[in-house]
Amino acid sequence: MDVVGINSEEQDAIFRVVAAILHLGNIEFAKGKEMDSSTPKDEKSWFHLKTAAELFMCDVKALEDSLCKRVIVTRDETITKWLDPESAAVSRDALAKVVYSRLFDWLVDRINSSIGQDPDSKYIIGVLDIYGFESFKTNSFEQFCINLTNEKLQQHFNQHVFKMEQEEYTKEEINWSYIEFIDNQDILDLIEKKPGGIIALLDEACMFPRSTHETFAQKLYQTFKNHKRFAKPKLARSDFTICHYAGDVTYQTELFLDKNKDYVIAEHQALLSASKCSFVACLFTTSSDESSKSSKFSSIGTRFKQQLQQLLETLSSTEPHYIRCVKPNNLLKPAIFENHNVLQQLRCGGVLEAIRISCAGYPTRKPFDEFLDRFGILAPEVLDGSDEIRACKKLLEKAGLEGYQIGKTKVFLRAGQMAELDSRRTEVLGRSASIIQRKVRSFIAQKSYISLKRSALQIQSVCRGQLARQIYESMRREASSIRIQRNLRMHLSRKAYKELQFSAVSIQTGLRGMAARNELRFRRQTKAAILIQSHCRKFLARLHFIKAKKGAVSLQCAWRGKVARKELRKLKLDARQTGALQAAKNKLEKQVEDLTWRLQLEKRMRSDLEEAKTQENAKLQAALQDMQLQFKETKELLMKEREIAKKVVETVPVIQEVPIVDHELTNKLASENEKLKALVSSLEKKIDDAEKKYEESNKLSEERLKQALDAETKIIQLKTAMQSLQEKVSDMASENQILRQKGLSTTASRVAEYPQTPDAKSMANGHFGHEEPQTPARNLTTEFDSKAKRPPIDRQHENVDALIECVMKDIGFSQGKPVAAFTIYKCLIHWKSFEAEKTSVFDRLIQMIGAAIEDQDNNEHMAYWLSNASTLLFLLQRSIKSDGANSVRKPPPPTSLFGRMTMGFRSSPSTVNLTAAAAALEVVRQVEAKYPALLFKQQLTAYVEKMYGIIRDNLKKELGSFLTLCIQASLLHFCLLLRRECCTFSNGEYVKAGLAELELWCCQAKEEYAGSAWDELKHIRQAVGFLVIHQKYRISYDEIIHDLCPILSVQQLYRICTLYWDDNYNTRSVSPDVISSMRILMTEDSNNAASSSFLLDDNSSIPFSVDDLSTSLQVKEFSDVKPAVELAENPAFQFLHE
C-alpha cells in the first residue's frame, strides 16, 4: 500500500473496515420478545456487534436498529417495522456487501490515480486478464456474467481474426473464396437485447417485490421457448440452459434476483455517513448523482453490461494481441499432458477455428519491402532498385514456389511456403556464418595468449605475498601466547580471593541469624504474657458486669410488676364493657343474615333476568333473520320484476304510426316498487329497534351484576368485622376469668373469715374454665393488686417474642438435627400449647415461617427452613393424638394447598397460663391435641409442601439448560399439547429419538445420578408413543385408556387427538366416536373433578406423605440436641436443659 501512495492513517482505516466486515459476518440473530422481531442470538453475537460498531465508530444501538428494524416513510408519517431473524440476516449481508463494494471501488480509484496515467496521452498499453469459460455443477449469476464476457470477447476475436483477415484479402484484391465461420451474435441478442433479453427480463423481475426465481424462470420459458440457443432442462423447475459457443451450460435461478439487486438501504447509508471515522463517512457521502440514481432502479446486470460495452469500445480502438493459456492437466503436476482436455480448451477458445481459417487462406503475409529485406539474400541479382512487385515475383519464381498471391502492398503465401523460404535463407546464412567464425577464432586465439602471459605475472606476485604473510602470522602467535599466560595468572589469583571472601560472609550470616532468633523468642514470650494478662482482666470484668446485670434485672422486675398491676386495673374496667360488645355482635349477625338473604334474592333475580334476556335475544335474533330473509326475497323479486319489464319493453313491437303505452302495467310496477321500498324501510327500522333493545338489556344486566358484586363484598366485610368482634369478646372474657381465678388461688390461704370454696376447674394446659367462683372475689381485688406479680399475658408475649427472635436467626444444627425445630417443639410441650382450646402461639409461628421463606431464590435458606419444618412436623406426628371431643370442633380438612395455608389466619388469639410448673418431660411424648394444634399441623404440612415445591422449581430452572441438551423437556410440557404445529407425527418421531438417547443414558448412568428420572417422563413417553402410532382411526377408546395411555387424563387425550395432524403421510387422527366419548367424559369430569389441566403432569404437591416422612428419618432421638445459646441463658427457658 505504501507503493501505491496510501498513507498509514488510510491503511489503518482500511484494516478497520475489513475487520468490521468480518465481525458483521459473525453476528447471528434469534427471535425477539415481540412478534416477527429479532435480536442478537447470544453473548458472542453481541460481542461481534459491539466490536463492529466500535470499528465503524458509530452507535451500537443505531447499528442494532439498522440491522433489526426497517423505517418506512409514507406521505403522512414514518413507520418503524421489526424484521424477523431471516430478514435481519439479509440486512446484515447487505450492509457487509455495500461496505465491501465501496471500499473496493475506493481502492481501485486510488490505485488508478496513483499510477499517474497521462490523460493527454495518445497511446495506451493495457493487459486484460479474464476468467475462461465456466461450466460447473451449480452455475449461478456469477457464471452467467463471466460467460457473457467470454461471448463478447469471442465475438471481438472473430471480428478481429476472421472478418479482418477476409476484409484484408478484399482490400489487396487477390483471388480468394469466402470462408464461413461460427458467429455468436444470436447468443448475445438472447442475453442482452432490449427489451426481450434475459438481462432485461431479470431487471423487470427485480422491480416487482413479489417476484421470485420461479416466476422469473417461467417468464424465460414463455419468452424463449422457440429460441434455438435456449432450452429448459427436463427435471428442473427453475433452471435454464444456454448453448454457448463453447458448449451448453445449465444455470440455476435461485439467487439471480438477490444477486442482481444493487441498492443501499437508507438506514445503512445514514448510519455510516454519520460515523466518527472520516474514512467510513467518506465512503458513504451522498452526492447529487447518487441521490438521483437512488430514485431509479439499478441492477448489477445492467451495470455489468455497460462496463463490458465500455471495455469492448476500448478494445476496438486499440490493436489487440491474444495470448491463449492452456492448462495441460487437471492434476496440476508437471510432465503430464492430457490431449482431450487441451483439445477442448483450444476448441472453447476458438483456436482450432482460427487455424482452420488460416490453413484455408493465406496465413503468411509480408509487405514488399520487408519480404525483400528478409529474403533478398536468396537472389541478390533481383535487387537492382527497380519495381518491388517485379523483384518479389522474380525472387519467388527463382525459388520455385507456386500458389502464392501478389497484392497491392503485400505478398501472400500459402501454409508452409514461408518455412521453405526460411530454410533456404538459413542455408545461405550458414555458409556466411562459417566464414565469419574462421575470422573470429583467430582473433580469440591471439587474445588468449596475451591474457595467459598477464596471468603468470600475477601468480608470481601472489606467491611472494603469501610468504610474507606467513612470517607475520608466526610473530603474531608469539605475542598472543604471552598475553594469554598473563591473563591466566590473574584469573587464578582472583578465584582464590573470591573463595576466602565467601567463607567470611557465611560465618557472619550464621552469627547474625542466631542473634535474630534469640530476639524473636524473647518477643514471643513477652506477647504471650501480655495475652494471658488481658484474658484474666477480661474475666474479672465480665464477672463484675454479670453481677451488675443481675441487680438491674431485679430492679426492672420490680418496676414491671408495678406497671402490670396498673394494667390489671385497666383490664378489669374493660371487662365490664363485654356486654356492649356482645350486643353489637348480635346486631351485626342480624345484619349479616339480612344481607345474605338479599344477596340470594339478588342472585335469583339476576339468573331470572339472564334467562329472560337470553330468550329475548334469541327471539330478536330470529326476528332479525326472518326480516333479513324477507328483505332478500323482496329484493330478488324486485330485480326479477325489473328484468321482466326490460324484456317486455324489448319484445313489444314498436309501431311508429300509432305509439301504444301500457299504462296499467307501468302503474302496477310502480306501486309494487313503492311497497317494496316501504317494506325495506320498515325492516331497517325494526332492525335498529332490536339492536337498541339488545344494548339496553346488556347495560341493565351489567348494572345488576355490579350491584350483586358490591353486595357480596359488603357481606364479606361484615363477616370479617363480626369475627374480629367475636374474637375480642372471647379474649376479654377469658382474660377476666383468668384474672379472677388467679386472685382466688393466691389469696385463699390468707383469708380466714370466708368459708372455703371449691377450687376452680383447671384444664390440662393451665387455662381456667368458665364457671363462676362461689367466693366474693371482688372484696379481694385490692389485696391481689398489691401483691400479684407480672400478668401471665405479658410474660407469655415476652417469652414468645424471645423464642421467635432467636429462631429467626440461623442457629444451625446440633448432632445433625435442626436446633430451631427442637427448641420450638420443647417450648410448645412445656407451655402445653397443644392442649389449649385457644392460643396465638401457633399463629405467630406460622407468620414467622411465612416471613422467613419470602426469599424464594436462595436455595440454602429454603433448605434450612424445610429441614426445620419437616423435623417439627415429624415431632408433631409422633406426639399429637386427637380424641372425639376435639374432632367435633375440627373443621373439614381443606382440599387444596391454598386452603390449608389460609386457614391459619382465622383462629382467634387467646392467652396461655404460664404459671404451671415445668415438669421433667420426655423429649417426645403423646399429648391430646386440641383444634389449634391440629390446625397448626395442617398449616405446617402446607408450608412443607410449599417449600419443597419452591426448591424443586428452583432446581428445575437451574438444571433446565442442561436437560434441554438431551431432550427439550420444557417444550414437551407446553408446546406438545398447546401448539398445533408441534402435535405432529414428525415431531413425535423427533422427540422419541431424544427419549431413546435419554433412556440409554439412564441405563448407563448410576442410580445416584439417574434416580427416577426415567419414571418422571412417563407422561411424555405415553404421549409421544400415541403420536407415532399408525392407523389411529382403528383404535378404540378402551385401548387408548387401558393399553396405550393409562396415565394420561381424558382432557390430555382429547387435546392431543383434536390437535394431531400428520405432516408426513397425511393420515387421520382417531375416529369421531372416540372423540365424542372423550367429550362426554370431559363434561362429566368438569362437574365433579377439581382440575381439568391439559398439562402432562399437573401434580404440584410433594411426592410423599407425613407418614413417609416419619418412617424415612433414620435418627429419631433428640435427647442429645443442644438448645440455642441465647435461650439457654434466659431464666424463662431453663426447661430446655432438662
Side-chain angles (χ1 to χ4, degrees), residues 92-145:
R92 174 202 63 195
D93 297 339
L95 177 59
K97 176 182 175 182
V98 70
V99 173
Y100 187 81
S101 175
R102 294 290 179 91
L103 179 61
F104 185 80
D105 295 340
W106 184 89
L107 287 172
V108 171
D109 295 339
R110 189 59 181 272
I111 292 171
N112 289 335
S113 63
S114 65
I115 290 174
Q117 180 181 356
D118 186 6
D120 300 330
S121 176
K122 296 180 181 180
Y123 301 99
I124 182 173
I125 299 175
V127 179
L128 175 62
D129 183 13
I130 68 165
Y131 288 101
F133 185 80
E134 291 187 354
S135 178
F136 303 126
K137 185 177 180 180
T138 300
N139 301 290
S140 186
F141 187 69
E142 297 86 352
Q143 285 71 35
F144 179 77
C145 295

Side-chain angles (χ1 to χ4, degrees), residues 584-636:
K585 173 189 171 185
N586 296 331
K587 184 177 181 181
L588 287 174
E589 286 179 353
K590 290 180 180 179
Q591 291 180 358
V592 168
E593 291 176 357
D594 188 14
L595 289 174
T596 304
W597 177 80
R598 289 182 182 179
L599 177 62
Q600 292 177 357
L601 181 61
E602 189 70 20
K603 286 182 179 180
R604 291 177 184 175
M605 292 175 65
R606 185 175 64 182
S607 61
D608 296 337
L609 180 62
E610 288 178 354
E611 291 179 0
K613 182 179 68 176
T614 54
Q615 293 176 2
E616 186 177 359
N617 290 337
K619 291 180 181 179
L620 291 174
Q621 288 178 0
L624 180 61
Q625 292 177 358
D626 294 336
M627 290 178 183
Q628 290 177 354
L629 291 174
Q630 291 177 6
F631 177 77
K632 290 180 181 179
E633 290 176 358
T634 54
K635 192 174 182 180
E636 289 175 358

Side-chain angles (χ1 to χ4, degrees), residues 54-318:
E54 183 179 355
L55 293 172
F56 281 136
M57 290 188 180
C58 62
D59 187 20
V60 178
K61 182 63 178 177
L63 179 58
E64 180 189 359
D65 293 341
S66 65
L67 296 177
C68 300
K69 296 180 181 179
R70 189 67 66 244
V71 178
I72 302 172
V73 180
T74 61
R75 182 178 298 175
D76 299 330
E77 60 180 352
T78 301
I79 301 173
T80 302
K81 175 186 176 184
W82 282 95
L83 299 178
D84 56 3
E86 295 180 357
S87 301
V90 173
S91 178
R92 174 202 63 195
D93 297 339
L95 177 59
K97 176 182 175 182
V98 70
V99 173
Y100 187 81
S101 175
R102 294 290 179 91
L103 179 61
F104 185 80
D105 295 340
W106 184 89
L107 287 172
V108 171
D109 295 339
R110 189 59 181 272
I111 292 171
N112 289 335
S113 63
S114 65
I115 290 174
Q117 180 181 356
D118 186 6
D120 300 330
S121 176
K122 296 180 181 180
Y123 301 99
I124 182 173
I125 299 175
V127 179
L128 175 62
D129 183 13
I130 68 165
Y131 288 101
F133 185 80
E134 291 187 354
S135 178
F136 303 126
K137 185 177 180 180
T138 300
N139 301 290
S140 186
F141 187 69
E142 297 86 352
Q143 285 71 35
F144 179 77
C145 295
I146 291 172
N147 292 337
L148 172 60
T149 306
N150 283 279
E151 289 285 354
K152 277 282 189 181
L153 294 176
Q154 183 64 26
Q155 185 188 38
H156 184 269
F157 179 75
N158 293 341
Q159 292 176 356
H160 180 74
V161 175
F162 303 151
K163 293 182 180 180
M164 298 297 180
E165 184 174 1
Q166 294 180 3
E167 288 177 359
E168 187 175 3
Y169 292 165
T170 305
K171 181 180 178 181
E172 293 290 334
E173 295 181 356
I174 64 173
N175 296 325
W176 63 283
S177 59
Y178 183 81
I179 302 171
E180 295 183 357
F181 63 92
I182 300 174
D183 192 2
N184 61 345
Q185 184 61 38
D186 55 348
I187 300 176
L188 297 176
D189 294 340
L190 172 66
I191 296 175
E192 59 181 3
K193 184 178 180 181
K194 288 186 177 180
I198 294 177
I199 294 178
L201 294 177
L202 180 60
D203 293 344
E204 181 182 353
C206 292
M207 291 180 185
F208 296 101
R210 294 186 179 179
S211 297
T212 61
H213 66 280
E214 295 180 351
T215 59
F216 169 64
Q218 295 298 326
K219 185 69 175 178
L220 292 179
Y221 298 155
Q222 294 174 4
T223 306
F224 305 113
K225 60 182 178 179
N226 297 325
H227 202 284
K228 63 180 181 179
R229 295 286 189 174
F230 184 86
K232 175 186 177 184
K234 294 182 179 180
L235 301 178
R237 297 179 59 185
S238 60
D239 300 349
F240 65 93
T241 302
I242 296 178
C243 301
H244 290 282
Y245 74 92
D248 298 345
V249 181
T250 301
Y251 298 98
Q252 286 73 30
T253 62
E254 279 78 5
L255 299 177
F256 265 52
L257 299 179
D258 295 335
K259 294 180 179 179
N260 187 49
K261 293 178 181 178
D262 182 22
Y263 63 91
V264 180
I265 299 174
E267 289 80 358
H268 299 169
Q269 176 74 26
L271 173 68
L272 297 180
S273 62
S275 174
K276 296 180 182 178
C277 180
S278 59
F279 182 80
V280 177
C282 179
L283 292 178
F284 286 88
T285 53
T286 305
S287 62
S288 60
D289 297 336
E290 291 181 355
S291 61
S292 62
K293 180 182 176 182
S294 62
S295 62
K296 300 179 181 180
F297 177 76
S298 177
S299 64
I300 299 295
T302 304
R303 288 178 57 192
F304 184 80
K305 186 173 70 173
Q306 294 173 358
Q307 294 175 1
L308 184 59
Q309 186 64 31
Q310 295 175 1
L311 174 64
L312 290 175
E313 291 175 358
T314 304
L315 290 176
S316 300
S317 63
T318 58

Side-chain angles (χ1 to χ4, degrees), residues 794-829:
D794 294 343
R795 216 179 308 154
Q796 174 202 6
H797 288 305
E798 289 178 1
N799 293 337
V800 174
D801 293 338
L803 174 64
I804 291 177
E805 183 179 2
C806 177
V807 172
M808 283 295 291
K809 303 177 183 178
D810 189 357
I811 57 178
F813 298 81
S814 176
Q815 302 297 327
K817 305 175 186 66
V819 178
F822 169 76
T823 305
I824 293 171
Y825 173 76
K826 205 158 186 179
C827 290
L828 295 176
I829 290 293

Side-chain angles (χ1 to χ4, degrees), residues 655-672:
I655 301 173
Q656 297 180 358
E657 291 78 10
V658 182
I660 299 173
V661 180
D662 192 357
H663 295 287
E664 295 180 358
L665 181 60
T666 55
N667 294 331
K668 183 179 180 181
L669 292 176
S671 62
E672 289 180 357

